[in-house]
Amino acid sequence: MKLKNSYDYFYLLFNELIRVKIRTGRLEKEMTDEAAVYTSSLEFDRFIFDADIQCNYAHTSMLKAQGIIDGEIADKILEALDKLSDEGFDALEFDHSVEDVHMAVENYVTKLVGPEAGFMHTAKSRNDQVATDIRLLLRDRITEIQIGILEFIEGILELAKEHKETVMIGYTHLQHAQPVTLAHHLMAHAQALKRDYQRLDDTYKRVNLNPLGSAAMATTSFPIDRELTTQLLGFDDYLENSMDGVSSRDHIAETVFDLSALCTTLSKICEELVLWSTYEFGIVSMADEYSSTSSIMPQKKNPDVAEVARSKCAIVNGELVTILTILKAIPYTYNRDLQEITPHLWNACDVAYDTLKIVNHMLLTVTFNTERCLELAGANFATATDLADIMVRERKIPFRTAHKIVGRIVNEAVAEGVNPSEIDGVYVDNVAEELGFEKLGLDDELIHNALNPIENVKIRNVPGGPSPEMVQLAIDNMNIFLDNEFEKQGI
């Protein structure tokens, strides 16, 4: 049966009810229909279909290699699994005998091979099988998201190259702080994304461990070869404790934390785009493809996509808290609670990946108002720190003394309506004398260069700084990182 719509899904649930009624075993009463639907996992089994085939294939190959099952039977099972892999999930049939995707796969193989297909389940439990399936799929999802991050960084680097000379204002407390360049600001986001990538890279090491062979929770008496299944499935190693193997899900929590950190980076980008696109800031114009207009106000251009992306990032935070809350009260080993974790994992992966892609495309299509950027950088005495630095360098006075003088200069200039470009040596000396200090006798050109945002940025030629040379160095270093990581990902 193919799952095409909600009717098909509820039909599946109905079959699940029948299955529960059949498997009463030692129970004197049947599970209620309500309870059967409530505890069903069929809705999310589609996610691990491919991983389940991989797991069965590796396990059967190992059983054959170890002589635990007959070689001819094993080959028939492997051929059936290959056929199912080609046909896909829709080739599975779900009827009253089917409990989950694992049983559906086994039933498919049984149809082709006969009852001997049951050998496929030798020395294996659904406990270690599902734990393996999740890790197989999760490592693919991590890689997918990592590649998306690398592509986003790559796009930011190209944008930064265009704006190494574009001077803008930097903020602290959302107040004018000091001039930087747009490229320097963009590279700050690139550095954050790099760390998001590296966190996932580190988590991948703990995801890529093999639980298969743990069986239900105490391994098996069959002489299985766990090193072989580890190799066949591409794991780095196998988990050395079978109880831990079937029940550990901390790698899921760790992954979702990484995704939450990534979404925090993305949400900050969205927040800035929302702010910068306002009339008051006027720094960017959002592309029409990522905007909407008002139903009543025709002049409006709303940054809807950035706003929705900003809110969707909160979903991943919520999934992390849900997963941690489920995990905190589970004793060793397997408990059915663990079934409820994976839907939150896959949802977090989906939301994070989709948001990553949309924010990437949205940021790289904005138009920057470079004139407005420079205007803001030269306003509100954002260059005042360098005037204080000049006093320290040229007249060897303590920075706190220079800070006091410049603070008074700014106060008086604002009160008198004097622009930064109008400050000269005489103005500085007058203020210094008012405060009881000696005249500084600073050269007018020196003062003007210090207060000029363009010159101000150029002299910040320190590694990590906003000067064009230092930003280019940061771009070059990030390109080296990208080249190495793209090669590692096989791209």
Side-chain angles (χ1 to χ4, degrees):
M1 169 184 163
K2 297 182 178 180
L3 294 175
K4 295 181 178 178
N5 51 45
S6 58
Y7 174 82
D8 288 342
Y9 170 61
F10 284 111
Y11 179 74
L12 261 183
L13 289 182
F14 175 73
N15 286 332
E16 176 80 351
L17 301 180
I18 298 174
R19 188 272 308 166
V20 169
K21 292 177 184 296
I22 291 174
R23 287 185 59 206
T24 54
R26 64 181 289 272
L27 305 178
E28 295 180 359
K29 295 183 180 180
E30 300 172 348
M31 183 179 285
T32 67
D33 292 355
E34 178 186 33
V37 171
Y38 187 74
T39 59
S40 175
S41 66
L42 285 172
E43 181 181 359
F44 300 99
D45 280 350
R46 178 185 290 269
F47 288 104
I48 59 173
F49 167 71
D50 290 325
D52 199 67
I53 293 177
Q54 293 179 55
C55 181
N56 278 307
Y57 201 97
H59 184 73
T60 303
S61 297
M62 180 274 295
L63 294 175
K64 174 185 175 181
Q66 290 295 101
I68 296 174
I69 65 175
D70 181 78
E72 291 185 7
I73 294 174
D75 288 340
K76 292 178 181 178
I77 293 172
L78 296 175
E79 289 175 10
L81 290 171
D82 278 332
K83 189 172 186 298
L84 177 57
S85 180
D86 291 339
E87 293 180 359
F89 183 83
D90 290 336
L92 296 179
E93 294 182 0
F94 294 88
D95 56 32
H96 64 275
S97 66
V98 174
E99 181 173 352
D100 50 30
V101 70
H102 313 298
M103 187 169 289
V105 169
E106 189 171 335
N107 286 352
Y108 177 96
V109 175
T110 301
K111 269 194 170 184
L112 298 181
V113 176
E116 293 176 328
F119 281 110
M120 180 174 65
H121 201 62
T122 305
K124 173 167 63 69
S125 166
R126 277 176 297 179
N127 290 358
D128 63 339
Q129 185 170 340
V130 71
T132 305
D133 290 354
I134 291 170
R135 288 174 181 267
L136 289 172
L137 177 56
L138 181 54
R139 70 184 187 187
D140 289 343
R141 296 305 306 269
I142 289 175
T143 298
E144 177 185 50
I145 293 169
Q146 282 188 296
I147 292 172
I149 294 173
L150 294 178
E151 291 172 345
F152 194 7
I153 295 174
E154 188 176 41
I156 289 176
L157 296 190
E158 291 302 312
L159 193 58
K161 289 177 186 177
E162 300 174 14
H163 292 284
K164 290 186 295 182
E165 308 283 345
T166 302
V167 176
M168 68 175 295
I169 189 65
Y171 297 88
T172 60
H173 307 279
L174 205 56
Q175 304 292 319
H176 284 207
Q178 293 177 291
V180 292
T181 62
L182 177 54
H184 191 58
H185 192 112
L186 290 168
M187 288 301 294
H189 289 306
Q191 292 291 345
L193 287 166
K194 176 183 176 182
R195 291 192 297 275
D196 292 327
Y197 176 93
Q198 291 171 325
R199 268 187 288 270
L200 285 165
D201 212 38
D202 193 57
T203 296
Y204 187 97
K205 300 171 187 176
R206 284 173 287 284
V207 171
N208 201 33
L209 297 173
N210 183 18
L212 194 60
S214 299
M217 54 83 67
T219 69
T220 176
S221 59
F222 288 98
I224 61 173
D225 185 347
R226 297 194 67 195
E227 290 184 357
L228 178 56
T229 56
T230 296
Q231 178 183 355
L232 292 174
L233 291 171
F235 286 114
D236 294 329
D237 203 350
Y238 58 82
L239 291 162
E240 294 187 350
N241 184 286
S242 60
M243 294 174 66
D244 179 57
V246 298
S247 61
S248 63
R249 298 294 188 276
D250 51 283
H251 58 284
I252 292 178
E254 186 177 358
T255 300
V256 179
F257 169 80
D258 296 344
L259 299 181
S260 183
L262 169 62
C263 283
T264 298
T265 302
L266 300 175
S267 185
K268 289 174 68 175
I269 293 173
C270 292
E271 172 71 7
E272 288 184 343
L273 291 177
V274 170
L275 286 173
W276 290 0
S277 64
T278 62
Y279 179 83
E280 288 73 15
F281 279 78
I283 294 176
V284 302
S285 176
M286 303 291 287
D288 289 350
E289 296 89 333
Y290 300 97
S291 306
S292 72
T293 188
S294 167
S295 62
I296 190 173
M297 296 169 284
Q299 84 281 6
K300 295 290 297 296
K301 184 176 182 180
N302 300 325
D304 279 18
V305 175
E307 291 171 346
V308 172
R310 184 176 59 185
S311 66
K312 281 184 178 290
C313 289
I315 295 173
V316 181
N317 292 351
E319 301 294 34
L320 174 60
V321 173
T322 300
I323 289 168
L324 289 172
T325 306
I326 293 173
L327 284 174
K328 76 176 184 62
I330 299 180
Y332 280 123
T333 58
Y334 185 84
N335 294 267
R336 193 70 179 270
D337 311 49
L338 297 177
Q339 168 187 297
E340 294 303 305
I341 289 177
T342 49
H344 298 288
L345 168 63
W346 305 136
N347 190 46
C349 289
D350 288 342
V351 171
Y353 182 72
D354 292 344
T355 304
L356 172 65
K357 300 298 285 187
I358 202 75
V359 175
N360 178 358
H361 299 151
M362 179 172 55
L363 176 61
L364 301 184
T365 56
V366 303
T367 302
F368 291 96
N369 185 342
T370 56
E371 292 182 2
R372 176 62 173 165
C373 287
L374 182 58
E375 177 189 348
L376 291 172
N380 206 23
F381 286 92
T383 53
T385 301
D386 269 286
L387 180 56
D389 288 345
I390 285 175
M391 295 177 183
V392 174
R393 281 198 302 269
E394 298 295 323
R395 295 297 177 259
K396 310 302 180 184
I397 65 174
F399 180 79
R400 285 304 170 197
T401 300
H403 188 285
K404 186 174 183 179
I405 295 171
V406 173
R408 177 65 67 84
I409 289 172
V410 171
N411 282 342
E412 293 192 4
V414 171
E416 298 167 0
V418 175
N419 294 322
S421 60
E422 299 174 304
I423 303 295
D424 57 15
V426 173
Y427 197 99
V428 171
D429 286 343
N430 288 340
V431 171
E433 286 185 314
E434 287 177 11
L435 293 172
F437 301 112
E438 295 181 0
K439 292 182 179 181
L440 298 177
L442 295 174
D443 183 75
D444 287 348
E445 184 178 358
L446 201 62
I447 294 172
H448 291 157
N449 284 340
L451 295 176
N452 183 304
I454 296 176
E455 297 300 322
N456 189 284
V457 167
K458 287 181 180 179
I459 63 176
R460 297 186 177 280
N461 206 29
V462 176
S467 72
E469 293 81 7
M470 290 300 102
V471 171
Q472 184 59 57
L473 176 61
I475 291 173
D476 292 341
N477 289 336
M478 189 66 81
N479 271 320
I480 293 172
F481 166 76
L482 288 181
D483 289 342
N484 290 335
E485 296 307 314
F486 274 129
E487 181 178 359
K488 189 171 75 175
Q489 297 289 0
I491 297 176

